[in-house]
Amino acid sequence: MRANTKKFYSGCVLCYHSCGIEVEVADGKLTSVKGQSSHPLNKGYLCPKGRATIDHIYHPSRLRHPLKKDGTGFKPISWDQALDEIAAKLMDIKEKYGPEALGFFCGSVGVENFEMVALTHRFRAAYGSPNYFSVESICYRMRIRCRQITFGKYPVEELDSNLYILWGHNPNESDFPLRLAITKNLRRGAKIVVIDPKRIKLADKAEMYLKIRPGTDGALALALMHVIINEKLYDKAFIDRWTLGFDQLVPHVQPYTPEWAEKITWIPADDIRKLARLFATTKGAAIYQGTCTQDQQANGTQTNRAIAILQTIVGGINVPGGWVLSPRLALKNIFLPTNGGGHPLGTDKYPLFYELRGRTSPYGIVSMVPENIPDKLKGFMVLGGNPVVTMPDANAFKAAFKRLPLLVVYEQFMTDTTALADYILPATSYLEGWSIAYNYNVCHCLPYLMIREQAIEPVGESRSVLDLYKGLCERMNMRDVFYWPSEKELVKDLLQPCELDFDHLHQKQPQGDYYQEKVYETEDGMWRTPSGKIEIYSQDLADVGFDPLPTYTEPQKSPQGKRWEELGEKYPLILSTGQRDLFYTASQMHHIDGLRKYRPAPVAEMSPATAADYHIREGQPVYVETDRGQARMNARVDDRVADGVILVPHGWQGEGNCNLLTDCRAESREPIMGYPTWKSQLCTLKPVEEDR
């Protein structure tokens, strides 16, 4: 290392895993980014996105100056002009329409960028608006909420297990640290089961591969319960001591036989029995759900509940290799009470998403945004997100954002969302400021903590989100709201309640440290439910008019759904959107040439039989079409994909955007928490005209 080179430890923010990295800086510029060998999550390895960090940060198309839309496009302006004009417009909206007319959207939710989320909530509350939206109301939050309903807390799958049930989860493409752990544990005898409409590569090493019809996971979960209960494979001692409602569950699951599920899921009844026996008799087994596979379904809440109950009745809670309560990190709460404005948009329709036993979540229902612009929402601030691409029904979002009197986007690159903005503000990257990498316990059951130290100066005129809000507050008579002089001081303040203070993490352990140890035991008072037990029977669900025990609801747009007669002839194929890609995170990183050479275009995956039925050849441009729109993709013909199923990725901009195909209208939302039903729809294929 040269004399003028400095070394930093940090946590990557290019996806939610926050893998540890080692950074070298020479003469103020990044020269090296590699995996941190001492980090317990990634152990020195990095995925392609992490390895492309330098190209990402110094990319020539990165936004370097504030921009304002005029009659001919966007023109550069100063930060002072941008903040002056935005602050004046925000005050005008508040005066004319009330503070609730302003909405906020964060694409990097708390697990990726805690400071962005926390500071946005602080500004939102000081302004007086309740309307904060994020990817949390279409992804992952439902799973957390369902486990909170069941356990009172959020138990998490560990990295190490004796049996990995990969249920709609493909670690090779979406969970780099889990893939490393599986590879290691297979060598010591761990086993895998894959449940997926595509035979992913890990299925080649699996004990079982179950080809499931998209959207029917809840039926499989109920049938597995049926077998475990009727063959008395459950953990009676654990159930008797720690659960409530098992006696009601026993008669409830009797209709849900493996034969019943086979007709729905495509999975043979004997395979369902085999999986139930394997799961129930393997100590240290765990179900690993896809990030939002089970959430984004017509039956989402009940499916998540069923999976939580499955893990419970085999005694797979707080045991090594199962679901474990990871010690919660203590950080200072810098949220403020909302000064007026009422509840977030849509929470009256989906109350459990918002409130559980007096504890509220500050999220509105993002699927409802288009229908409420501009009647209820007159202004919108988007930070670190691209909702026109990543939210359902892109056409509806695009049309709605065009009607907004004010759209401000804080971003690093031009996107389909910035194209609609009135003001674009250049954002710093995670290596250009201070922050906390803390989410390991939420995602991988690792009570581990790091500080991300500022390694380089901001590129161009980009500013931190703290500087953005401080600048607005100075112009809106709210100077005292953001009292921290710098991001470094903010991080120090956030860490005050933590077992590891700032100096320990900055000076003694810059590579990170464990703030507590996990304890594998269950004790009285652990389950923060009304009964103090794991609630198989949920009074919370009953109180809002839904089944207190898991049930199955068929997707409306499916071969067995209510709308098949209306749509089936025109759209006979099953569409599942949101396939993950190791080279990209949603709409991020698509500008990196070194990544695009591996995945240059979005693909519609289909089986050879499906391709033959539609006269489609490998690589041919096709339109995937639904009752909501069409998207252009290249055909990928793969015998690993189930016949009659089309799998498409998310995150591509322009005409390759899969959310041109999806639906955010009320009739298409999951009924309990309002999620879009992305995992099972109906579609057809059409060759692109020029290739006919």
Side-chain angles (χ1 to χ4, degrees), residues 385-490:
N386 189 7
V388 166
V389 170
T390 59
M391 293 299 107
D393 214 335
N395 289 317
F397 267 87
K398 207 175 287 186
F401 278 8
K402 287 178 180 177
R403 293 193 294 267
L404 276 170
L406 176 66
L407 177 60
V408 178
V409 182
Y410 173 78
E411 248 297 350
Q412 293 177 2
F413 294 89
M414 294 295 288
T415 68
D416 283 6
T417 301
T418 61
L420 304 174
D422 298 292
Y423 296 89
I424 305 172
L425 305 176
T428 50
S429 73
Y430 69 99
L431 290 175
E432 296 162 34
W434 291 78
S435 60
I436 298 171
Y438 81 106
N439 55 289
Y440 311 107
N441 66 318
V442 177
C443 302
H444 294 296
C445 208
L446 285 173
Y448 198 78
L449 180 65
M450 291 185 75
I451 285 177
R452 299 185 184 104
E453 182 177 354
Q454 181 175 347
I456 57 173
E457 290 299 311
V459 170
E461 296 178 19
S462 58
R463 292 190 183 182
S464 72
V465 70
L466 175 61
D467 288 339
L468 163 62
Y469 285 133
K470 283 172 68 79
L472 289 174
C473 284
E474 288 170 0
R475 293 159 170 81
M476 298 172 67
N477 300 317
M478 299 191 298
R479 291 177 181 271
D480 296 336
V481 174
F482 294 90
Y483 55 84
W484 304 278
S486 67
E487 286 182 295
K488 183 177 181 180
E489 294 304 314
L490 168 64

Side-chain angles (χ1 to χ4, degrees), residues 346-354 365 669-674:
T347 51
D348 56 332
K349 299 182 184 297
Y350 307 100
L352 271 184
F353 181 75
Y354 174 60
I365 305 298
R669 297 181 203 135
E670 191 270 349
I672 302 177
M673 297 196 192

Side-chain angles (χ1 to χ4, degrees), residues 183-251:
T183 300
K184 176 194 73 173
N185 288 316
L186 284 176
R187 291 195 289 267
R188 65 162 179 82
K191 298 177 180 178
I192 306 172
V193 171
V194 172
I195 305 169
D196 202 290
K198 178 182 179 181
R199 185 184 174 92
I200 62 174
K201 289 184 179 180
L202 278 172
D204 296 343
K205 300 178 180 180
E207 294 294 302
M208 298 182 69
Y209 165 61
L210 283 69
K211 180 174 64 180
I212 191 170
R213 176 163 68 91
T216 66
D217 305 79
L220 174 60
L222 288 164
L224 291 168
M225 268 190 259
H226 175 100
V227 176
I228 291 169
I229 287 172
N230 284 290
E231 295 189 7
K232 294 185 168 45
L233 300 172
Y234 52 85
D235 188 330
K236 186 176 186 303
F238 185 87
I239 290 168
D240 290 346
R241 179 69 180 86
W242 299 112
T243 74
L244 175 73
F246 184 73
D247 290 345
Q248 291 146 299
L249 181 68
V250 172

Side-chain angles (χ1 to χ4, degrees), residues 8-19:
F8 300 86
Y9 293 99
S10 192
C12 179
V13 189
L14 296 175
C15 78
Y16 70 82
H17 299 298
S18 295
C19 291

Side-chain angles (χ1 to χ4, degrees), residues 512-587:
D513 203 354
Y514 289 93
Y515 56 87
Q516 285 188 46
E517 290 185 13
K518 285 187 287 188
V519 178
Y520 296 105
E521 63 182 35
T522 301
E523 57 188 26
D524 289 324
M526 178 172 283
W527 312 114
R528 295 185 181 175
T529 58
S531 65
K533 294 190 174 185
I534 300 170
E535 297 195 348
I536 293 171
Y537 180 99
S538 172
Q539 190 61 44
D540 296 306
L541 281 164
D543 288 344
V544 293
F546 293 99
D547 291 300
L549 294 166
T551 55
Y552 175 68
T553 299
E554 176 70 25
Q556 287 193 5
K557 298 178 182 179
S558 80
Q560 298 182 26
K562 294 179 181 178
R563 299 192 65 187
W564 176 254
E565 186 174 341
E566 170 197 353
L567 298 173
E569 184 176 352
K570 188 173 182 181
Y571 305 109
L573 300 171
I574 300 170
L575 173 68
S576 187
T577 70
Q579 300 302 300
R580 296 300 195 260
D581 192 322
L582 184 64
F583 294 90
Y584 308 120
T585 300
S587 65

